[in-house]
Amino acid sequence: MKKVITTLAFVFVCISSFAQQFSDNFDSYTSGSYLGPQSPFWTTRSGVEGGDADALVSSTNTYSSSNSIYLHDQTNNGTAQLIRLNVGQVFEEGVFTFETALNVSAGQSAIISLMGNNTNYNSLYTFHCQFTDGQATSVSGGTNENLPVFSYPQGTWFRFKVEANLTLHLWKVYVNENLVGFWTNPVNKIACIDFMSAYTSTVNYEFYIDNVHFIHQNYSLSNLNAIVSLVKMDNDLLGQQVSTEVNVLNAGEVPITSFDLNLFYQNQIIPMSFSGLNIQSLETFSFEVPGVSLAPGDQVYTVKITNVNGVLDDILDDNILSGVAGPIVPAPGKMVVGEEITGTWCQWCVRGIVFMNQFEEKYDPYWCGIVIHSEDPMNYSEYMTGMNGYHLGGFPRALIDRWHDVDPSGMSPDFFERVQVPPVATIVNGATWDAATRVLNVSVTSNFVLPAYGNYKVACVLTEDEVTGSGPGWSQRNAYAGGNYGVMGGYETLSDPVPASTMVYDHVARVIAPSFTGMPNSFPNNVQAGDSYTTSLTFTLPAEWDETKINIIGMILDPTGKIDNAGRSTIAEAVANGYVGSTVDMPAIDLTHVMTVYPNPASTSATVNLEIAQLSNVSMRFVDFAGKVLSEKDFGSVQGHYDIQMNTSNYKAGVYFVELTVDGCTTAKKLIIE
């Protein structure tokens, strides 16, 4: 049982019938001991205090006076430290303000989350902010947009504050009292505050907190009050035409029927007028101001509303909102690759579908998406094996140029960083296509614009868009059905699962050649700017693949295995570019004629027919729909015709896959057992 300590070090009181507040500077606790057993207000996510998941009181690095709390992941046996401050109740109205002093060690990370439920960590988080290498990114479980991205000082103390008007759904974030983020949050429940040092193989966590404080106060509406609650002119790519999203919130008691607006950007003033409206109390009116071409440098934009219902409204200070748009300048010839793992069985993976499509629509030609399916009819085991080498933390998850793994909703920071990095070479894909034989010859030409030293490699990926199917495994699980987890690109209006007849899958990885790690000796060890090298490949496409929906993605990998650059084209575009004679040849890859499976469906037995045209390393696996390996055989280095008999009488009726790997390239055939 916890010992309740009465001291001025922390206070948790109602200061009136209209406010409740809490403060803790940790100075009354024993340094070197765990926090949980010493405080009636602090616990851990699991509720187990005084162990690996708890955090230590420390006197080593403090913001004020004698103690702070130290969280890290260095010596905790792979266990994440997560301490939790319960706020006493679930607040859903009023103004909740949370503030703490924070010191994130240089090059390290920290996580702070405001949660709407203190009994289930996996429930919807209200606000989740991760601090890494001087930049903080934040998301809410109720929006499909990244929230504030802002800078903070590394290795020194700073004040971090979140001010949430839960009644109006308006949230603000401050660093050292400077406003760094302002948005409308569809999720407005606060039950606890979590401070976490996760444990991963790619991110290190080490930080201190001190002087934690929160206060909750009631909030009353005025009579007539319009608030500019959101202006979203992204720090996007230079020259893009952007539509500025604006939200006007009725924070008064009477309906808003009209208002005027001006958007100021550079030397432009864009006026708009709205009439005949009926914005009820606490409702938000969303609209877009016609596109503005983003100009170089950091430019201030301002939105101001006037003449609300033909008069001045009650509070003028919130009728104006400003921000800074700093367009990002892509490096010439740069294409960033996002590789995402997913599965139709994964209820959260619709988030990946939404964000991969958004990036494709918004950032072409600087973005290329590849979606690797696991344990479903589009399963690609070899590619998944390569992705698993990055120890990705669950589904959906994405690698951006194979630098960092992120949730697909958080790809923007890495994309913006990588798109500015000059590539060593630009990529041009050429091709010939024979519709009768379905043979696709591809040339990947690397035109070096910078010197390159070491073992750079070429890889080539084929993806297919608009993939559909019927039967088991083609329906998409959907956690967002019913809207309980907020808006997610329209999936909140669909069922769980989404029927196969409704689903269309894009960016589906079909083949990566010659392997996930690319082809060794693609180039000399010393390449000079101006040099060009071409790698050629030959594919034979299965009849069920639609060649008009195939994308050819040539990639160049740096000596560490990260993606330096890519080039994407359709087959028609590559044919128009022209096939280039090869300086380096990859093995021909026949994706259709090397294996047939019959009868299909099967009952008691099936035959797998292999035709290996040239001496190759061959292996085969038989897996169930969940990806469990039921049998496997390594043939070694072989060539010729093989008939392999399979006894299927002992297997339950369902969908299975026969996977064949030839010289590192894998293809799979579906086998239905009745």
Side-chain angles (χ1 to χ4, degrees):
M1 181 176 179
K2 291 187 177 182
K3 179 181 178 182
V4 179
I5 305 172
T6 304
T7 171
L8 291 177
F10 56 76
V11 181
F12 196 175
V13 297
C14 288
I15 58 176
S16 72
S17 60
F18 303 101
Q20 185 174 349
Q21 67 174 340
F22 167 90
S23 294
D24 197 348
N25 62 14
F26 309 111
D27 292 343
S28 66
Y29 305 140
T30 301
S31 178
S33 298
Y34 286 108
L35 172 63
Q38 301 188 68
S39 168
F41 306 114
W42 294 91
T43 184
T44 67
R45 178 180 70 182
S46 65
V48 178
E49 299 163 355
D52 284 346
D54 209 340
L56 292 173
V57 179
S58 173
S59 59
T60 302
N61 189 350
T62 64
Y63 179 74
S64 66
S65 195
S66 56
N67 286 339
S68 66
I69 300 300
Y70 175 54
L71 294 100
H72 64 134
D73 64 1
Q74 303 299 316
T75 59
N76 280 285
N77 303 318
T79 301
Q81 286 184 309
L82 192 155
I83 59 174
R84 169 170 289 175
L85 174 62
N86 291 315
V87 301
Q89 67 182 82
V90 179
F91 292 110
E92 299 185 60
E93 294 182 340
V95 179
F96 185 94
T97 303
F98 155 73
E99 187 172 7
T100 187
L102 185 61
N103 186 327
V104 185
S105 300
Q108 305 291 303
S109 292
I111 291 175
I112 297 178
S113 298
L114 277 67
M115 306 291 294
N117 188 315
N118 60 12
T119 60
N120 179 7
Y121 179 73
N122 293 319
S123 65
L124 183 64
Y125 49 74
T126 308
F127 175 66
H128 175 90
C129 190
Q130 177 160 340
F131 303 81
T132 301
D133 292 338
Q135 186 179 64
T137 58
S138 49
V139 295
S140 165
T143 177
N144 62 351
E145 295 286 348
N146 257 10
L147 301 183
V149 176
F150 55 89
S151 299
Y152 66 89
Q154 296 187 76
T156 188
W157 288 97
F158 64 94
R159 299 296 301 179
F160 175 67
K161 182 169 73 173
V162 179
E163 181 183 285
N165 189 319
L166 304 175
T167 302
L168 301 181
H169 293 202
L170 296 181
W171 289 58
K172 299 178 182 179
V173 171
Y174 299 84
V175 170
N176 290 331
E177 299 303 323
N178 296 314
L179 180 65
V180 295
F182 181 57
W183 76 99
T184 301
N185 197 340
V187 181
N188 287 269
K189 293 183 179 181
I190 299 176
C192 61
I193 304 166
D194 287 348
F195 303 80
M196 181 169 68
S197 64
Y199 183 85
T200 72
S201 61
T202 57
V203 180
N204 293 322
Y205 290 77
E206 184 179 63
F207 65 102
Y208 297 82
I209 60 170
D210 203 351
N211 290 21
V212 174
H213 172 80
F214 74 77
I215 184 171
H216 176 265
Q217 298 168 296
N218 289 347
Y219 180 82
S220 298
L221 300 179
S222 60
N223 182 56
L224 177 63
N225 185 26
I227 296 178
V228 182
S229 58
L230 173 72
V231 177
K232 194 171 186 297
M233 184 185 293
D234 286 338
N235 291 349
D236 226 312
L237 302 186
L238 178 66
Q240 274 204 317
Q241 290 283 332
V242 296
S243 292
T244 303
E245 182 183 350
V246 178
N247 287 352
V248 173
L249 170 69
N250 183 355
E253 295 182 336
V254 302
I256 294 175
T257 58
S258 64
F259 63 87
D260 296 329
L261 172 143
N262 284 293
L263 184 148
F264 304 88
Y265 177 75
Q266 262 198 319
N267 299 320
Q268 302 178 61
I269 302 176
I270 302 176
M272 298 183 73
S273 293
F274 298 89
S275 60
L277 305 175
N278 186 22
I279 310 172
Q280 296 295 311
S281 179
L282 298 183
E283 285 186 350
T284 295
F285 176 55
S286 300
F287 56 94
E288 291 186 349
V289 179
V292 177
S293 182
L294 293 179
D298 290 341
Q299 304 288 342
V300 175
Y301 60 83
T302 299
V303 168
K304 182 178 181 180
I305 56 175
T306 57
N307 200 28
V308 180
N309 288 2
V311 298
L312 294 176
D313 65 353
D314 296 336
I315 304 174
L316 298 180
D317 290 346
D318 53 21
N319 288 16
I320 187 170
L321 187 60
S322 298
V324 175
I328 291 163
V329 181
K334 182 73 171 185
M335 176 172 278
V336 177
V337 176
E339 298 167 294
E340 183 224 356
I341 58 173
T342 189
T344 60
W345 49 267
C346 167
Q347 63 176 343
W348 301 106
C349 287
V350 294
R351 189 164 65 246
I353 294 173
V354 169
F355 280 95
M356 293 295 279
N357 287 340
Q358 284 185 357
F359 268 64
E360 183 73 22
E361 293 169 4
K362 190 170 186 179
Y363 296 121
D364 182 59
Y366 304 105
W367 165 265
C368 176
I370 302 171
V371 177
I372 303 98
H373 283 256
S374 177
E375 301 179 9
D376 68 21
M378 293 163 282
N379 178 73
Y380 192 176
S381 298
E382 183 199 2
Y383 213 138
M384 273 301 303
T385 299
M387 296 291 285
N388 287 338
Y390 285 81
H391 306 289
L392 305 184
F395 288 71
R397 208 69 183 166
L399 290 174
I400 309 303
D401 278 350
R402 300 187 187 173
W403 279 78
H404 301 126
D405 79 288
V406 296
D407 187 275
S409 64
M411 296 188 297
S412 293
D414 282 352
F415 167 71
F416 288 140
E417 178 182 352
R418 291 293 300 158
V419 79
Q420 300 176 74
V421 178
V424 297
T426 58
I427 308 295
V428 178
N429 301 317
T432 64
W433 166 246
D434 189 321
T437 63
R438 299 190 63 79
V439 170
L440 173 66
N441 295 306
V442 173
S443 61
V444 179
T445 300
S446 304
N447 298 309
F448 283 82
V449 293
L450 295 173
Y453 306 102
N455 189 18
Y456 280 81
K457 303 175 185 178
V458 167
C460 184
V461 176
L462 300 185
T463 65
E464 185 177 3
D465 292 331
E466 300 183 25
V467 177
T468 60
S470 60
W474 285 97
S475 299
Q476 176 66 57
R477 289 295 312 278
N478 178 20
Y480 294 90
N484 291 332
Y485 290 96
V487 176
M488 187 50 65
Y491 280 89
E492 69 279 4
T493 67
L494 301 178
S495 62
D496 178 27
V498 183
S501 59
T502 304
M503 289 303 305
V504 177
Y505 299 96
D506 292 323
H507 328 298
V508 176
R510 290 306 199 183
V511 63
I512 184 167
S515 68
F516 184 82
T517 56
M519 182 176 182
N521 305 314
S522 298
F523 314 103
N525 282 335
N526 297 314
V527 180
Q528 301 304 312
D531 291 347
S532 293
Y533 295 88
T534 298
T535 303
S536 65
L537 312 91
T538 299
F539 304 92
T540 304
L541 305 190
E544 60 265 27
W545 294 6
D546 185 346
E547 65 273 15
T548 67
K549 306 299 182 184
I550 294 291
N551 298 289
I552 302 168
I553 303 164
M555 302 190 300
I556 182 169
L557 312 180
D558 72 15
T560 69
K562 298 178 176 65
I563 298 174
D564 178 84
N565 201 19
R568 181 187 60 202
S569 58
T570 64
I571 290 179
E573 290 168 341
V575 169
N577 290 338
Y579 181 81
V580 179
S582 174
T583 56
V584 181
D585 289 322
M586 292 189 191
I589 301 167
D590 187 334
L591 296 168
T592 179
H593 296 130
V594 293
M595 177 172 62
T596 56
V597 181
Y598 61 91
N600 197 356
S603 55
T604 59
S605 65
T607 300
V608 180
N609 174 266
L610 303 182
E611 294 285 351
I612 310 300
Q614 58 190 23
L615 193 64
S616 307
N617 291 316
V618 178
S619 61
M620 190 176 73
R621 302 196 312 172
F622 184 54
V623 301
D624 64 14
F625 186 73
K628 180 180 178 181
V629 178
L630 304 176
S631 64
E632 57 186 325
K633 181 176 178 60
D634 188 346
F635 294 90
S637 182
V638 297
Q639 181 179 5
H641 174 93
Y642 295 86
D643 287 326
I644 301 160
Q645 303 300 318
M646 297 179 57
N647 181 359
T648 59
S649 61
N650 295 325
Y651 297 115
K652 296 179 180 179
V655 177
Y656 298 81
F657 297 94
V658 181
E659 295 180 352
L660 181 71
T661 300
V662 180
D663 285 338
C665 297
T666 300
T667 185
K669 293 290 186 180
K670 180 169 64 176
L671 173 62
I672 299 174
I673 297 178
E674 296 180 329

